[in-house]
Amino acid sequence: MTPATVARRASLAGALLGVVAGLVELTAGPSIRSWVGDKQDTTRLGITTTLLALIALTAALYLRRALTSPGQRLAIATGLLVPGLIGFTTVGRLWLVPGPLLVTAGVLVASSLRTELTEVCHVLAENWGLILTGVLAVEYIALGATALGRAGALGILGGAAILVLLASPSRIGARGALLCLIAATLPFAALTW
Protein backbone atom coordinates (compact mmCIF):
# COMPACT_ATOMS: atom_id res chain seq x y z
CA MET A 1 0.00 0.00 0.00
CA THR A 2 1.44 3.39 -0.98
CA PRO A 3 1.78 6.28 1.51
CA ALA A 4 -0.85 8.22 -0.47
CA THR A 5 -3.36 5.37 -0.08
CA VAL A 6 -2.62 5.10 3.64
CA ALA A 7 -3.08 8.87 4.01
CA ARG A 8 -6.41 8.82 2.16
CA ARG A 9 -7.79 5.92 4.21
CA ALA A 10 -6.46 7.16 7.55
CA SER A 11 -7.75 10.69 6.98
CA LEU A 12 -11.25 9.53 6.05
CA ALA A 13 -11.46 7.04 8.93
CA GLY A 14 -10.04 9.55 11.43
CA ALA A 15 -12.40 12.31 10.35
CA LEU A 16 -15.50 10.10 10.47
CA LEU A 17 -14.53 8.71 13.87
CA GLY A 18 -13.86 12.28 15.01
CA VAL A 19 -17.39 13.32 14.04
CA VAL A 20 -18.71 10.37 16.05
CA ALA A 21 -16.51 11.33 19.03
CA GLY A 22 -17.79 14.91 18.89
CA LEU A 23 -21.41 13.81 18.72
CA VAL A 24 -20.90 11.37 21.61
CA GLU A 25 -19.35 14.15 23.69
CA LEU A 26 -22.21 16.45 22.76
CA THR A 27 -24.98 14.00 23.63
CA ALA A 28 -23.54 11.74 26.34
CA GLY A 29 -20.61 13.81 27.65
CA PRO A 30 -21.98 14.61 31.12
CA SER A 31 -22.54 10.93 31.88
CA ILE A 32 -19.09 9.80 30.63
CA ARG A 33 -16.91 12.61 31.97
CA SER A 34 -13.85 10.37 32.45
CA TRP A 35 -13.92 9.53 28.74
CA VAL A 36 -14.15 13.18 27.66
CA GLY A 37 -11.26 14.41 29.82
CA ASP A 38 -13.44 15.36 32.80
CA LYS A 39 -14.65 18.43 30.92
CA GLN A 40 -17.40 20.45 32.56
CA ASP A 41 -18.88 22.05 29.43
CA THR A 42 -19.33 19.08 27.14
CA THR A 43 -21.89 20.87 24.98
CA ARG A 44 -19.62 23.57 23.56
CA LEU A 45 -16.63 21.24 23.48
CA GLY A 46 -18.74 18.62 21.69
CA ILE A 47 -19.68 21.21 19.08
CA THR A 48 -16.03 22.27 18.79
CA THR A 49 -14.87 18.67 18.40
CA THR A 50 -17.50 18.01 15.75
CA LEU A 51 -16.47 21.14 13.84
CA LEU A 52 -12.81 20.14 14.03
CA ALA A 53 -13.69 16.71 12.68
CA LEU A 54 -15.72 18.29 9.87
CA ILE A 55 -12.71 20.41 8.91
CA ALA A 56 -10.62 17.22 8.81
CA LEU A 57 -13.35 15.50 6.79
CA THR A 58 -13.27 18.32 4.25
CA ALA A 59 -9.48 17.93 3.98
CA ALA A 60 -9.87 14.14 3.66
CA LEU A 61 -12.39 14.51 0.85
CA TYR A 62 -10.10 16.92 -1.00
CA LEU A 63 -7.25 14.45 -0.50
CA ARG A 64 -9.21 11.86 -2.48
CA ARG A 65 -8.93 14.10 -5.57
CA ALA A 66 -5.83 14.26 -7.71
CA LEU A 67 -3.78 17.06 -6.16
CA THR A 68 -0.84 18.45 -8.03
CA SER A 69 -0.25 21.80 -6.39
CA PRO A 70 2.04 21.97 -3.34
CA GLY A 71 -0.22 24.71 -1.98
CA GLN A 72 -3.21 22.36 -2.08
CA ARG A 73 -1.28 19.61 -0.32
CA LEU A 74 -0.03 22.06 2.31
CA ALA A 75 -3.61 23.19 2.98
CA ILE A 76 -4.77 19.58 3.27
CA ALA A 77 -1.90 18.64 5.59
CA THR A 78 -2.82 21.62 7.79
CA GLY A 79 -6.51 20.67 7.64
CA LEU A 80 -5.62 17.22 8.97
CA LEU A 81 -2.87 18.07 11.46
CA VAL A 82 -4.48 21.03 13.24
CA PRO A 83 -7.81 19.30 14.05
CA GLY A 84 -5.94 16.07 14.78
CA LEU A 85 -3.82 17.77 17.42
CA ILE A 86 -6.41 20.14 18.90
CA GLY A 87 -8.94 17.32 19.29
CA PHE A 88 -6.82 15.82 22.06
CA THR A 89 -7.65 18.86 24.20
CA THR A 90 -11.38 18.93 23.49
CA VAL A 91 -12.62 15.38 23.84
CA GLY A 92 -10.19 13.35 25.95
CA ARG A 93 -9.95 9.58 25.50
CA LEU A 94 -12.55 9.54 22.74
CA TRP A 95 -9.86 11.09 20.50
CA LEU A 96 -7.34 8.28 21.02
CA VAL A 97 -8.26 6.63 17.71
CA PRO A 98 -9.28 9.55 15.44
CA GLY A 99 -6.41 11.80 16.57
CA PRO A 100 -3.51 9.50 15.64
CA LEU A 101 -5.21 8.63 12.34
CA LEU A 102 -5.53 12.31 11.39
CA VAL A 103 -2.01 13.18 12.53
CA THR A 104 -0.56 10.22 10.62
CA ALA A 105 -2.43 11.23 7.47
CA GLY A 106 -1.34 14.86 7.87
CA VAL A 107 2.30 13.86 8.33
CA LEU A 108 2.16 11.63 5.26
CA VAL A 109 0.71 14.45 3.16
CA ALA A 110 3.25 16.93 4.55
CA SER A 111 6.12 14.53 3.88
CA SER A 112 5.14 14.47 0.21
CA LEU A 113 6.12 18.15 0.11
CA ARG A 114 9.80 17.59 0.98
CA THR A 115 10.92 17.69 -2.63
CA GLU A 116 9.01 20.90 -3.31
CA LEU A 117 10.04 22.84 -0.23
CA THR A 118 11.12 25.89 -2.24
CA GLU A 119 7.74 26.10 -3.95
CA VAL A 120 5.91 25.63 -0.63
CA CYS A 121 7.93 28.48 0.92
CA HIS A 122 7.07 30.61 -2.11
CA VAL A 123 3.34 29.85 -1.69
CA LEU A 124 3.52 30.74 2.00
CA ALA A 125 5.46 33.95 1.35
CA GLU A 126 3.08 34.97 -1.43
CA ASN A 127 -0.08 34.34 0.65
CA TRP A 128 0.99 35.17 4.20
CA GLY A 129 -1.57 37.97 4.52
CA LEU A 130 -4.44 35.73 3.46
CA ILE A 131 -3.24 32.96 5.75
CA LEU A 132 -3.05 35.24 8.79
CA THR A 133 -6.45 36.76 7.98
CA GLY A 134 -7.90 33.23 7.74
CA VAL A 135 -6.37 32.38 11.13
CA LEU A 136 -7.97 35.55 12.54
CA ALA A 137 -11.36 34.48 11.14
CA VAL A 138 -11.13 31.00 12.65
CA GLU A 139 -9.99 32.49 15.96
CA TYR A 140 -12.99 34.85 15.98
CA ILE A 141 -15.35 31.95 15.34
CA ALA A 142 -13.73 29.89 18.12
CA LEU A 143 -13.79 32.79 20.59
CA GLY A 144 -17.35 33.64 19.58
CA ALA A 145 -18.38 30.04 20.26
CA THR A 146 -17.03 30.25 23.80
CA ALA A 147 -18.43 33.72 24.55
CA LEU A 148 -22.02 34.07 25.60
CA GLY A 149 -24.84 36.23 24.33
CA ARG A 150 -24.53 39.05 21.83
CA ALA A 151 -20.72 39.12 21.96
CA GLY A 152 -20.50 35.45 21.00
CA ALA A 153 -22.92 35.86 18.13
CA LEU A 154 -20.99 38.88 16.82
CA GLY A 155 -17.71 36.95 17.06
CA ILE A 156 -19.10 34.05 15.04
CA LEU A 157 -20.71 36.37 12.47
CA GLY A 158 -17.54 38.46 12.19
CA GLY A 159 -15.38 35.38 11.65
CA ALA A 160 -17.79 33.97 9.10
CA ALA A 161 -17.88 37.32 7.27
CA ILE A 162 -14.08 37.33 7.08
CA LEU A 163 -14.08 33.78 5.67
CA VAL A 164 -16.68 34.74 3.06
CA LEU A 165 -14.60 37.78 2.17
CA LEU A 166 -11.52 35.56 1.72
CA ALA A 167 -13.32 32.81 -0.18
CA SER A 168 -15.19 34.93 -2.69
CA PRO A 169 -13.41 36.72 -5.48
CA SER A 170 -13.40 40.27 -4.28
CA ARG A 171 -14.38 43.11 -6.52
CA ILE A 172 -14.43 45.66 -3.73
CA GLY A 173 -10.72 46.46 -3.86
CA ALA A 174 -8.14 46.65 -1.12
CA ARG A 175 -9.73 49.61 0.63
CA GLY A 176 -13.18 48.01 0.64
CA ALA A 177 -11.72 44.74 1.92
CA LEU A 178 -9.98 46.60 4.75
CA LEU A 179 -13.22 48.37 5.70
CA CYS A 180 -15.10 45.03 5.67
CA LEU A 181 -12.39 43.47 7.84
CA ILE A 182 -12.68 46.31 10.38
CA ALA A 183 -16.50 46.11 10.34
CA ALA A 184 -16.34 42.34 10.92
CA THR A 185 -13.87 42.49 13.82
CA LEU A 186 -14.57 45.72 15.67
CA PRO A 187 -17.96 44.87 17.29
CA PHE A 188 -16.67 41.65 18.90
CA ALA A 189 -13.48 43.37 20.05
CA ALA A 190 -15.48 46.24 21.59
CA LEU A 191 -17.95 43.95 23.37
CA THR A 192 -15.26 41.69 24.84
CA TRP A 193 -12.87 44.43 25.93
Side-chain angles (χ1 to χ4, degrees), residues 13-77:
L16 291 173
L17 288 171
V19 170
V20 170
L23 293 175
V24 167
E25 181 179 26
L26 185 62
T27 58
S31 57
I32 56 168
R33 288 204 192 278
S34 64
W35 277 88
V36 296
D38 291 319
K39 307 289 188 203
Q40 294 300 316
D41 186 5
T42 58
T43 302
R44 281 190 255 174
L45 286 172
I47 292 170
T48 302
T49 303
T50 305
L51 291 175
L52 286 170
L54 289 173
I55 291 169
L57 182 60
T58 303
L61 293 174
Y62 273 102
L63 185 59
R64 299 184 74 76
R65 299 179 179 184
L67 299 172
T68 56
S69 161
Q72 290 173 327
R73 287 184 299 195
L74 178 64
I76 288 172

Side-chain angles (χ1 to χ4, degrees), residues 171-190:
R171 293 192 181 6
I172 60 175
R175 189 174 189 177
L178 180 61
L179 290 174
C180 288
L181 183 64
I182 291 170
T185 58
L186 199 55
F188 181 70

Side-chain angles (χ1 to χ4, degrees), residues 84-125:
L85 293 170
I86 293 176
F88 286 108
T89 66
T90 63
V91 72
R93 282 190 233 168
L94 291 178
W95 203 252
L96 289 178
V97 175
L101 286 171
L102 292 174
V103 169
T104 300
V107 167
L108 287 172
V109 173
S111 70
S112 74
L113 294 168
R114 286 179 303 185
T115 59
E116 298 149 325
L117 193 56
T118 304
E119 194 171 342
V120 169
C121 289
H122 178 70
V123 168
L124 291 174

